[in-house]
Amino acid sequence: MKLVVIVGIPGVGKTTVLNLTKKRLEEEGYVVKVVNFGDFMLDMLVSKGLVKSRDEIRRLPLKIQREAQAEAGRRIREFFEREAGEEEEKFIGFVDTHALIKTSSGIWPGLPLHVIRELMPDTIIVVEADPEEIVARQLRDTTRYRRDLARVDLVRELLALNRSFAIASAVLSGASVNFILNREGKAEEAAGTLANIIKNL
Amino acid sequence: MKLVVIVGIPGVGKTTVLNLTKKRLEEEGYVVKVVNFGDFMLDMLVSKGLVKSRDEIRRLPLKIQREAQAEAGRRIREFFEREAGEEEEKFIGFVDTHALIKTSSGIWPGLPLHVIRELMPDTIIVVEADPEEIVARQLRDTTRYRRDLARVDLVRELLALNRSFAIASAVLSGASVNFILNREGKAEEAAGTLANIIKNL
Amino acid sequence: MKLVVIVGIPGVGKTTVLNLTKKRLEEEGYVVKVVNFGDFMLDMLVSKGLVKSRDEIRRLPLKIQREAQAEAGRRIREFFEREAGEEEEKFIGFVDTHALIKTSSGIWPGLPLHVIRELMPDTIIVVEADPEEIVARQLRDTTRYRRDLARVDLVRELLALNRSFAIASAVLSGASVNFILNREGKAEEAAGTLANIIKNL
């Protein structure tokens, strides 16, 4: 089994690259499962009766949030290990998440020590794109992105911060880091690169 | 209680922003305490009879220094928890310190694993300023700053390193990071931004 | 005893600077030992019958690789402590290694948590050079370097990543970081700077 964490700032096209990579790997006989970290944690907290919606998570005491994050990390790894079962050699578990999360109380690490030590990924994939292309995408879809943040200088800064967060998390777990450039209209190429990296793990 | 670590390279105006933020928060009914990490550790080591002055700390074996740093971190958190007491909801504890410390033996992390895991802050505030403005301030006050280090390229590099150190520490503790730009003559604005972040924690 | 980790991307002239620094320190009465991390780990794994060559290490399960790295780190420190013996005051142990290792499965941390916490160095030395000079060196020796990677933009990016990896490792261990610029034809100068830093530790 290989556990692959995939991250990227909003607008880089992470989901597209992830779906195309999954398809390619499945065509080559791999068994691929994708878990969204945020959704998984929300379901876990709802089933415990601790929250009813995503917004309520941020209002939990920070200590409880950290414990929930660590537990989600541990359970995701356990889930993949069960799913892999006998097909251990051909199993790829993707965790779709963020290296950083920008909120009104700051930039939070998406893969802090207590999470990354539970996940213990083989690699952290950082999907990136040209800042100009990211801004163009964000301006095309203002239902999903905030127009006031769609600025090349802000996006460039966030890409740089994202690298620093991803590297700090990699050093904690001993995972490799891969920066995958998703060029406009070339998501298939990015998926090809990513699939090769995973096969080399 | 919220524990806020505040850092910044020399000349960014950290103390000014901190004092203005404290005043604002107090005016809104918060109880705010500020502890300077270096002073706290020095007092601790003096009271144990291990050193007589700040200069002697660097001459202690590195292992002893690390233990003292960890102990200072633990005691600062305990101090804040006692001070917060019943007013837990309205208590803000600031730790005034550095993400990096430049010396003749290298750039030392101010918030290494053994310190940050004791402090476990809610957020790390990185006060920053325009490199040209920092150099101008440093040249105005050569009693406090070294003239030969007051160079825009060196200051720009140190600001970048400071971000990397702060991010690595944040990933270890799960704290958020906030980069606060302190514009020349606009410290009140920076304090307003910072006070809002803290209220959002 | 001082334990000094020295890293640098290919082509910065790390070995030259290391050898000159060793010579200088020995001339001043220091006892200096150098251990190459990769060689040490290979010898250890060969003696255990786990591998026969360097290439086989990457094919071991990641969990086994991580355990081997941690064990190598622990044994290197123990080796230095034995070698230092009574001359503890004058002993310098160098670990020649990498902050990052670029492979077909990504950029791996050379000093991840499980290694750096065993080594617990006093300082991490990052040897750097001008990107243009690195590329010129790489193009002069294409038996050792890949011609297609000898590009200024790639080298500049790798130097920046190398800093981030080194800083993350320093924050984990509480070691200082030193960036040593090795100018073309000035390796003696770089060695002089490095020897002074070590004496200041």
Side-chain angles (χ1 to χ4, degrees):
Chain A
M1 174 182 121
K2 302 296 175 197
L3 199 155
V4 178
V5 166
I6 184 164
V7 300
I9 68 168
V12 293
K14 181 179 62 167
T15 309
T16 310
V17 173
L18 174 52
N19 290 340
L20 292 173
T21 306
K22 181 175 189 289
K23 196 160 155 272
R24 274 171 185 257
L25 289 167
E26 286 171 344
E27 281 165 8
E28 298 189 43
Y30 288 91
V31 179
V32 182
K33 293 276 170 190
V34 179
V35 169
N36 180 290
F37 189 88
D39 292 348
F40 189 97
M41 192 168 93
L42 176 60
D43 288 350
M44 191 185 87
L45 290 170
V46 168
S47 76
K48 291 187 177 204
L50 281 169
V51 301
K52 276 177 193 142
S53 71
R54 196 173 290 265
D55 289 345
E56 287 177 42
I57 298 179
R58 293 240 153 253
R59 277 176 250 145
L60 292 171
L62 200 52
K63 199 166 165 281
I64 306 292
Q65 284 186 49
R66 283 174 180 152
E67 284 166 12
Q69 289 168 340
E71 187 179 346
R74 188 164 57 253
R75 287 208 194 177
I76 290 171
R77 175 163 268 285
E78 288 166 2
F79 168 73
F80 284 149
E81 280 167 357
R82 274 199 310 277
E83 290 287 314
E86 300 300 299
E87 296 204 87
E88 212 271 325
E89 282 292 299
K90 280 290 188 182
F91 187 87
I92 314 284
F94 278 100
V95 182
D96 180 358
T97 188
H98 300 282
L100 59 78
I101 304 123
K102 211 172 173 178
T103 76
S104 62
S105 55
I107 303 170
W108 296 87
L111 297 164
L113 178 64
H114 56 276
V115 171
I116 200 82
R117 295 294 297 177
E118 297 291 349
L119 285 176
M120 284 303 269
D122 296 85
T123 191
I124 299 173
I125 306 296
V126 182
V127 182
E128 299 183 322
D130 181 86
E132 273 85 8
E133 289 175 13
I134 295 174
V135 168
R137 268 178 234 176
Q138 291 180 339
L139 290 175
R140 276 201 300 273
D141 184 359
T142 50
T143 59
R144 209 171 144 194
Y145 303 109
R146 280 177 54 190
R147 181 172 280 276
D148 58 326
L149 296 180
R151 275 172 39 199
V152 172
D153 58 337
L154 289 181
V155 166
R156 185 168 285 129
E157 186 186 33
L158 206 56
L159 283 167
L161 293 175
N162 202 48
R163 285 195 163 198
S164 290
F165 275 88
I167 289 170
S169 299
V171 171
L172 290 178
S173 58
S176 71
V177 188
N178 283 280
F179 303 105
I180 302 288
L181 183 61
N182 183 25
R183 285 177 222 272
E184 191 68 45
K186 306 270 189 192
E188 277 290 0
E189 209 175 88
T193 305
L194 179 43
N196 277 332
I197 287 163
I198 290 168
K199 287 186 275 176
N200 284 329
L201 276 171
Chain B
M1 174 181 121
K2 301 297 175 196
L3 199 155
V4 178
V5 165
I6 184 164
V7 300
I9 68 169
V12 293
K14 180 179 62 166
T15 309
T16 310
V17 173
L18 175 51
N19 290 340
L20 293 172
T21 306
K22 180 175 191 288
K23 196 160 156 271
R24 274 171 186 257
L25 290 167
E26 286 171 344
E27 280 165 7
E28 298 190 43
Y30 287 92
V31 179
V32 182
K33 293 276 170 189
V34 179
V35 168
N36 180 290
F37 189 88
D39 293 348
F40 189 97
M41 192 168 93
L42 176 60
D43 289 350
M44 191 185 89
L45 290 171
V46 168
S47 76
K48 291 187 177 205
L50 282 169
V51 300
K52 278 177 192 141
S53 72
R54 195 173 290 265
D55 290 344
E56 286 176 43
I57 298 179
R58 293 240 153 252
R59 277 176 250 145
L60 291 171
L62 200 53
K63 200 166 166 280
I64 306 292
Q65 284 186 50
R66 283 173 180 152
E67 284 166 12
Q69 289 168 340
E71 187 179 346
R74 187 164 56 254
R75 288 208 193 176
I76 289 171
R77 176 163 267 285
E78 288 166 2
F79 168 73
F80 284 149
E81 280 167 357
R82 274 198 311 276
E83 289 287 314
E86 299 302 297
E87 295 204 87
E88 212 271 326
E89 282 292 299
K90 280 290 187 182
F91 187 87
I92 314 284
F94 277 102
V95 182
D96 180 357
T97 188
H98 300 280
L100 58 78
I101 303 123
K102 212 173 172 176
T103 76
S104 62
S105 55
I107 303 170
W108 297 87
L111 297 164
L113 179 62
H114 55 277
V115 172
I116 200 82
R117 295 294 295 177
E118 297 290 349
L119 285 176
M120 284 304 268
D122 296 85
T123 191
I124 299 174
I125 305 296
V126 182
V127 181
E128 297 182 324
D130 181 86
E132 274 86 9
E133 289 176 12
I134 295 173
V135 167
R137 270 178 233 175
Q138 291 181 338
L139 290 175
R140 276 202 300 274
D141 184 1
T142 50
T143 58
R144 208 171 144 194
Y145 302 109
R146 279 177 53 191
R147 180 173 281 276
D148 58 325
L149 295 181
R151 276 171 39 200
V152 171
D153 58 338
L154 289 181
V155 166
R156 184 168 286 128
E157 185 185 34
L158 207 56
L159 283 166
L161 293 175
N162 202 48
R163 285 195 164 198
S164 289
F165 275 88
I167 289 170
S169 299
V171 171
L172 290 178
S173 58
S176 71
V177 188
N178 283 280
F179 304 105
I180 303 288
L181 183 61
N182 182 25
R183 285 179 223 272
E184 191 69 45
K186 306 271 190 191
E188 277 290 0
E189 210 175 88
T193 304
L194 179 42
N196 276 333
I197 287 164
I198 291 169
K199 287 186 274 178
N200 283 329
L201 276 171
Chain C
M1 174 181 121
K2 301 297 175 197
L3 199 156
V4 178
V5 165
I6 183 165
V7 300
I9 69 168
V12 293
K14 180 179 62 167
T15 309
T16 309
V17 172
L18 175 51
N19 290 340
L20 293 173
T21 306
K22 181 176 189 290
K23 196 160 155 270
R24 274 171 185 258
L25 290 167
E26 285 172 343
E27 281 166 8
E28 298 190 44
Y30 286 92
V31 179
V32 182
K33 293 276 169 190
V34 179
V35 168
N36 180 290
F37 189 88
D39 293 347
F40 189 97
M41 192 168 93
L42 176 59
D43 289 350
M44 190 185 89
L45 290 170
V46 168
S47 76
K48 290 186 177 203
L50 282 168
V51 300
K52 277 177 192 141
S53 71
R54 195 172 290 264
D55 289 346
E56 287 177 42
I57 298 179
R58 293 241 153 252
R59 277 176 250 146
L60 292 172
L62 200 53
K63 201 166 165 278
I64 307 293
Q65 285 186 50
R66 283 174 179 151
E67 284 166 12
Q69 290 167 340
E71 187 179 346
R74 187 164 57 253
R75 287 208 194 176
I76 289 171
R77 175 162 268 284
E78 288 166 2
F79 168 72
F80 284 148
E81 280 167 356
R82 274 199 311 277
E83 289 287 315
E86 301 300 300
E87 296 204 87
E88 213 271 326
E89 282 293 298
K90 280 291 188 182
F91 188 87
I92 314 286
F94 277 101
V95 182
D96 181 357
T97 189
H98 299 280
L100 59 77
I101 303 123
K102 211 172 172 178
T103 76
S104 61
S105 54
I107 303 171
W108 297 87
L111 298 164
L113 178 63
H114 55 276
V115 171
I116 200 82
R117 294 294 296 176
E118 297 290 350
L119 285 176
M120 285 302 269
D122 296 85
T123 191
I124 298 174
I125 305 296
V126 182
V127 182
E128 298 182 323
D130 182 85
E132 274 85 8
E133 289 176 12
I134 295 175
V135 168
R137 269 178 234 175
Q138 291 180 338
L139 289 175
R140 275 201 300 274
D141 184 0
T142 51
T143 58
R144 210 172 143 194
Y145 303 109
R146 279 177 55 191
R147 180 172 281 274
D148 59 325
L149 296 180
R151 275 171 41 198
V152 172
D153 58 337
L154 289 182
V155 166
R156 184 168 285 127
E157 185 185 34
L158 207 56
L159 283 167
L161 294 175
N162 202 48
R163 285 195 165 200
S164 290
F165 275 87
I167 289 170
S169 300
V171 171
L172 289 177
S173 58
S176 71
V177 189
N178 283 280
F179 303 105
I180 302 288
L181 182 61
N182 182 26
R183 285 179 223 272
E184 191 68 44
K186 305 272 189 191
E188 277 290 1
E189 211 175 86
T193 305
L194 178 44
N196 276 333
I197 286 163
I198 291 169
K199 288 186 274 177
N200 284 329
L201 276 171

mmCIF file of all heavy atoms in Angstrom, chain B residues 3-8 14-16 18-19 33-40 76 80 93-99 111 119:
data_model
loop_
_atom_site.group_PDB
_atom_site.id
_atom_site.type_symbol
_atom_site.label_atom_id
_atom_site.label_comp_id
_atom_site.label_asym_id
_atom_site.label_seq_id
_atom_site.Cartn_x
_atom_site.Cartn_y
_atom_site.Cartn_z
ATOM 1 N N LEU B 3 -3.247 31.678 23.926
ATOM 2 C CA LEU B 3 -1.818 31.924 24.061
ATOM 3 C C LEU B 3 -1.277 32.343 22.696
ATOM 4 O O LEU B 3 -1.378 31.601 21.727
ATOM 5 C CB LEU B 3 -1.115 30.669 24.591
ATOM 6 C CG LEU B 3 0.273 30.905 25.202
ATOM 7 C CD1 LEU B 3 0.626 29.815 26.197
ATOM 8 C CD2 LEU B 3 1.350 31.036 24.156
ATOM 9 N N VAL B 4 -0.738 33.564 22.643
ATOM 10 C CA VAL B 4 -0.293 34.159 21.388
ATOM 11 C C VAL B 4 1.212 34.382 21.432
ATOM 12 O O VAL B 4 1.705 35.115 22.294
ATOM 13 C CB VAL B 4 -1.012 35.512 21.158
ATOM 14 C CG1 VAL B 4 -0.526 36.173 19.874
ATOM 15 C CG2 VAL B 4 -2.521 35.323 21.140
ATOM 16 N N VAL B 5 1.945 33.755 20.521
ATOM 17 C CA VAL B 5 3.385 33.997 20.412
ATOM 18 C C VAL B 5 3.589 35.095 19.385
ATOM 19 O O VAL B 5 2.987 35.050 18.304
ATOM 20 C CB VAL B 5 4.130 32.710 19.991
ATOM 21 C CG1 VAL B 5 5.545 33.025 19.524
ATOM 22 C CG2 VAL B 5 4.154 31.714 21.144
ATOM 23 N N ILE B 6 4.391 36.100 19.723
ATOM 24 C CA ILE B 6 4.642 37.188 18.783
ATOM 25 C C ILE B 6 6.148 37.291 18.527
ATOM 26 O O ILE B 6 6.945 37.309 19.449
ATOM 27 C CB ILE B 6 3.994 38.511 19.266
ATOM 28 C CG1 ILE B 6 4.186 39.627 18.224
ATOM 29 C CG2 ILE B 6 4.492 38.942 20.626
ATOM 30 C CD1 ILE B 6 3.272 40.830 18.438
ATOM 31 N N VAL B 7 6.499 37.288 17.242
ATOM 32 C CA VAL B 7 7.907 37.322 16.837
ATOM 33 C C VAL B 7 8.106 38.366 15.741
ATOM 34 O O VAL B 7 7.141 38.883 15.174
ATOM 35 C CB VAL B 7 8.381 35.935 16.304
ATOM 36 C CG1 VAL B 7 8.235 34.854 17.358
ATOM 37 C CG2 VAL B 7 7.625 35.544 15.028
ATOM 38 N N GLY B 8 9.362 38.651 15.453
ATOM 39 C CA GLY B 8 9.685 39.622 14.404
ATOM 40 C C GLY B 8 11.163 39.925 14.449
ATOM 41 O O GLY B 8 11.749 39.941 15.533
ATOM 42 N N LYS B 14 7.977 45.412 16.553
ATOM 43 C CA LYS B 14 7.175 44.420 17.273
ATOM 44 C C LYS B 14 6.626 44.958 18.593
ATOM 45 O O LYS B 14 5.433 44.793 18.886
ATOM 46 C CB LYS B 14 8.030 43.167 17.536
ATOM 47 C CG LYS B 14 7.313 42.063 18.276
ATOM 48 C CD LYS B 14 8.227 40.844 18.478
ATOM 49 C CE LYS B 14 9.446 41.177 19.310
ATOM 50 N NZ LYS B 14 10.170 39.984 19.787
ATOM 51 N N THR B 15 7.496 45.623 19.371
ATOM 52 C CA THR B 15 7.083 46.091 20.698
ATOM 53 C C THR B 15 5.960 47.122 20.598
ATOM 54 O O THR B 15 4.986 47.069 21.363
ATOM 55 C CB THR B 15 8.293 46.682 21.447
ATOM 56 O OG1 THR B 15 9.355 45.719 21.390
ATOM 57 C CG2 THR B 15 7.957 46.971 22.896
ATOM 58 N N THR B 16 6.091 48.033 19.637
ATOM 59 C CA THR B 16 5.048 49.054 19.442
ATOM 60 C C THR B 16 3.711 48.385 19.115
ATOM 61 O O THR B 16 2.682 48.697 19.724
ATOM 62 C CB THR B 16 5.443 49.993 18.271
ATOM 63 O OG1 THR B 16 6.774 50.448 18.491
ATOM 64 C CG2 THR B 16 4.497 51.168 18.167
ATOM 65 N N LEU B 18 2.772 45.352 19.676
ATOM 66 C CA LEU B 18 2.314 44.556 20.819
ATOM 67 C C LEU B 18 1.633 45.441 21.869
ATOM 68 O O LEU B 18 0.534 45.123 22.339
ATOM 69 C CB LEU B 18 3.515 43.808 21.418
ATOM 70 C CG LEU B 18 3.289 43.008 22.690
ATOM 71 C CD1 LEU B 18 2.108 42.065 22.562
ATOM 72 C CD2 LEU B 18 4.544 42.211 23.045
ATOM 73 N N ASN B 19 2.279 46.560 22.196
ATOM 74 C CA ASN B 19 1.709 47.440 23.220
ATOM 75 C C ASN B 19 0.358 48.017 22.788
ATOM 76 O O ASN B 19 -0.585 48.082 23.583
ATOM 77 C CB ASN B 19 2.682 48.569 23.555
ATOM 78 C CG ASN B 19 3.893 48.049 24.317
ATOM 79 O OD1 ASN B 19 3.849 46.955 24.910
ATOM 80 N ND2 ASN B 19 4.982 48.805 24.294
ATOM 81 N N LYS B 33 -1.792 39.608 29.505
ATOM 82 C CA LYS B 33 -0.474 39.550 30.154
ATOM 83 C C LYS B 33 0.570 39.306 29.080
ATOM 84 O O LYS B 33 0.338 38.525 28.144
ATOM 85 C CB LYS B 33 -0.405 38.389 31.159
ATOM 86 C CG LYS B 33 -1.304 38.554 32.369
ATOM 87 C CD LYS B 33 -0.653 39.395 33.454
ATOM 88 C CE LYS B 33 -1.692 39.738 34.525
ATOM 89 N NZ LYS B 33 -1.200 40.722 35.493
ATOM 90 N N VAL B 34 1.721 39.952 29.218
ATOM 91 C CA VAL B 34 2.824 39.768 28.264
ATOM 92 C C VAL B 34 4.023 39.206 29.010
ATOM 93 O O VAL B 34 4.420 39.735 30.053
ATOM 94 C CB VAL B 34 3.219 41.106 27.595
ATOM 95 C CG1 VAL B 34 4.383 40.903 26.630
ATOM 96 C CG2 VAL B 34 2.023 41.735 26.891
ATOM 97 N N VAL B 35 4.600 38.138 28.501
ATOM 98 C CA VAL B 35 5.836 37.591 29.065
ATOM 99 C C VAL B 35 6.901 37.613 27.973
ATOM 100 O O VAL B 35 6.657 37.144 26.860
ATOM 101 C CB VAL B 35 5.633 36.144 29.570
ATOM 102 C CG1 VAL B 35 6.978 35.492 29.882
ATOM 103 C CG2 VAL B 35 4.734 36.121 30.793
ATOM 104 N N ASN B 36 8.067 38.180 28.313
ATOM 105 C CA ASN B 36 9.196 38.127 27.389
ATOM 106 C C ASN B 36 9.949 36.823 27.651
ATOM 107 O O ASN B 36 10.427 36.585 28.765
ATOM 108 C CB ASN B 36 10.102 39.342 27.606
ATOM 109 C CG ASN B 36 11.293 39.319 26.671
ATOM 110 O OD1 ASN B 36 12.195 38.502 26.813
ATOM 111 N ND2 ASN B 36 11.283 40.208 25.690
ATOM 112 N N PHE B 37 10.027 35.981 26.630
ATOM 113 C CA PHE B 37 10.602 34.641 26.817
ATOM 114 C C PHE B 37 12.035 34.701 27.351
ATOM 115 O O PHE B 37 12.384 33.997 28.306
ATOM 116 C CB PHE B 37 10.569 33.856 25.490
ATOM 117 C CG PHE B 37 10.931 32.412 25.656
ATOM 118 C CD1 PHE B 37 9.966 31.469 25.957
ATOM 119 C CD2 PHE B 37 12.250 31.985 25.539
ATOM 120 C CE1 PHE B 37 10.291 30.130 26.140
ATOM 121 C CE2 PHE B 37 12.590 30.645 25.715
ATOM 122 C CZ PHE B 37 11.613 29.718 26.014
ATOM 123 N N GLY B 38 12.859 35.550 26.746
ATOM 124 C CA GLY B 38 14.272 35.642 27.148
ATOM 125 C C GLY B 38 14.416 36.107 28.591
ATOM 126 O O GLY B 38 15.209 35.545 29.356
ATOM 127 N N ASP B 39 13.656 37.130 28.967
ATOM 128 C CA ASP B 39 13.718 37.643 30.346
ATOM 129 C C ASP B 39 13.260 36.585 31.339
ATOM 130 O O ASP B 39 13.863 36.399 32.395
ATOM 131 C CB ASP B 39 12.810 38.886 30.504
ATOM 132 C CG ASP B 39 13.320 40.074 29.698
ATOM 133 O OD1 ASP B 39 14.472 40.019 29.209
ATOM 134 O OD2 ASP B 39 12.555 41.044 29.551
ATOM 135 N N PHE B 40 12.181 35.882 30.977
ATOM 136 C CA PHE B 40 11.611 34.853 31.859
ATOM 137 C C PHE B 40 12.640 33.748 32.104
ATOM 138 O O PHE B 40 12.844 33.312 33.225
ATOM 139 C CB PHE B 40 10.345 34.280 31.221
ATOM 140 C CG PHE B 40 9.551 33.374 32.114
ATOM 141 C CD1 PHE B 40 8.459 33.864 32.833
ATOM 142 C CD2 PHE B 40 9.876 32.039 32.255
ATOM 143 C CE1 PHE B 40 7.715 33.025 33.655
ATOM 144 C CE2 PHE B 40 9.149 31.192 33.078
ATOM 145 C CZ PHE B 40 8.062 31.695 33.778
ATOM 146 N N ILE B 76 5.852 29.214 31.504
ATOM 147 C CA ILE B 76 5.100 30.361 30.982
ATOM 148 C C ILE B 76 3.640 29.952 30.774
ATOM 149 O O ILE B 76 2.711 30.657 31.162
ATOM 150 C CB ILE B 76 5.735 30.903 29.675
ATOM 151 C CG1 ILE B 76 7.065 31.596 29.982
ATOM 152 C CG2 ILE B 76 4.781 31.872 28.957
ATOM 153 C CD1 ILE B 76 7.893 31.973 28.756
ATOM 154 N N PHE B 80 0.394 31.551 32.768
ATOM 155 C CA PHE B 80 -0.805 32.096 32.120
ATOM 156 C C PHE B 80 -2.061 31.366 32.613
ATOM 157 O O PHE B 80 -3.100 31.992 32.836
ATOM 158 C CB PHE B 80 -0.715 31.973 30.600
ATOM 159 C CG PHE B 80 0.197 32.983 29.942
ATOM 160 C CD1 PHE B 80 0.888 32.653 28.779
ATOM 161 C CD2 PHE B 80 0.360 34.257 30.469
ATOM 162 C CE1 PHE B 80 1.723 33.583 28.148
ATOM 163 C CE2 PHE B 80 1.201 35.193 29.853
ATOM 164 C CZ PHE B 80 1.880 34.847 28.699
ATOM 165 N N GLY B 93 -2.707 35.597 26.764
ATOM 166 C CA GLY B 93 -1.302 35.591 27.196
ATOM 167 C C GLY B 93 -0.397 35.741 25.981
ATOM 168 O O GLY B 93 -0.449 34.916 25.070
ATOM 169 N N PHE B 94 0.395 36.813 25.967
ATOM 170 C CA PHE B 94 1.349 37.023 24.870
ATOM 171 C C PHE B 94 2.743 36.550 25.289
ATOM 172 O O PHE B 94 3.203 36.886 26.382
ATOM 173 C CB PHE B 94 1.488 38.526 24.554
ATOM 174 C CG PHE B 94 0.425 39.077 23.651
ATOM 175 C CD1 PHE B 94 -0.633 39.813 24.176
ATOM 176 C CD2 PHE B 94 0.499 38.889 22.279
ATOM 177 C CE1 PHE B 94 -1.608 40.348 23.346
ATOM 178 C CE2 PHE B 94 -0.479 39.422 21.443
ATOM 179 C CZ PHE B 94 -1.534 40.144 21.974
ATOM 180 N N VAL B 95 3.408 35.811 24.413
ATOM 181 C CA VAL B 95 4.828 35.487 24.622
ATOM 182 C C VAL B 95 5.617 36.258 23.564
ATOM 183 O O VAL B 95 5.493 35.999 22.366
ATOM 184 C CB VAL B 95 5.109 33.971 24.483
ATOM 185 C CG1 VAL B 95 6.581 33.683 24.749
ATOM 186 C CG2 VAL B 95 4.214 33.185 25.425
ATOM 187 N N ASP B 96 6.400 37.227 24.056
ATOM 188 C CA ASP B 96 7.216 38.076 23.190
ATOM 189 C C ASP B 96 8.559 37.376 22.995
ATOM 190 O O ASP B 96 9.327 37.214 23.944
ATOM 191 C CB ASP B 96 7.373 39.434 23.911
ATOM 192 C CG ASP B 96 8.194 40.429 23.118
ATOM 193 O OD1 ASP B 96 8.695 40.086 22.032
ATOM 194 O OD2 ASP B 96 8.337 41.570 23.623
ATOM 195 N N THR B 97 8.833 36.923 21.781
ATOM 196 C CA THR B 97 10.073 36.150 21.563
ATOM 197 C C THR B 97 10.522 36.269 20.107
ATOM 198 O O THR B 97 10.159 37.227 19.413
ATOM 199 C CB THR B 97 9.887 34.679 22.024
ATOM 200 O OG1 THR B 97 11.145 34.015 21.966
ATOM 201 C CG2 THR B 97 8.853 33.937 21.210
ATOM 202 N N HIS B 98 11.331 35.320 19.641
ATOM 203 C CA HIS B 98 11.858 35.355 18.274
ATOM 204 C C HIS B 98 11.660 34.005 17.602
ATOM 205 O O HIS B 98 11.765 32.978 18.251
ATOM 206 C CB HIS B 98 13.352 35.688 18.288
ATOM 207 C CG HIS B 98 13.645 37.008 18.907
ATOM 208 N ND1 HIS B 98 13.482 38.187 18.218
ATOM 209 C CD2 HIS B 98 14.038 37.353 20.153
ATOM 210 C CE1 HIS B 98 13.779 39.194 19.012
ATOM 211 N NE2 HIS B 98 14.121 38.721 20.198
ATOM 212 N N ALA B 99 11.419 34.015 16.286
ATOM 213 C CA ALA B 99 11.381 32.759 15.525
ATOM 214 C C ALA B 99 12.794 32.309 15.217
ATOM 215 O O ALA B 99 13.069 31.115 15.075
ATOM 216 C CB ALA B 99 10.583 32.931 14.233
ATOM 217 N N LEU B 111 11.842 28.960 18.480
ATOM 218 C CA LEU B 111 10.685 28.135 18.850
ATOM 219 C C LEU B 111 10.901 26.694 18.380
ATOM 220 O O LEU B 111 10.114 26.145 17.603
ATOM 221 C CB LEU B 111 9.410 28.709 18.223
ATOM 222 C CG LEU B 111 9.024 30.118 18.681
ATOM 223 C CD1 LEU B 111 8.011 30.738 17.732
ATOM 224 C CD2 LEU B 111 8.466 30.089 20.105
ATOM 225 N N LEU B 119 4.772 25.381 24.948
ATOM 226 C CA LEU B 119 3.942 26.586 24.852
ATOM 227 C C LEU B 119 2.587 26.270 24.223
ATOM 228 O O LEU B 119 1.572 26.789 24.646
ATOM 229 C CB LEU B 119 4.635 27.662 24.006
ATOM 230 C CG LEU B 119 5.799 28.418 24.639
ATOM 231 C CD1 LEU B 119 6.427 29.361 23.626
ATOM 232 C CD2 LEU B 119 5.317 29.221 25.863
#
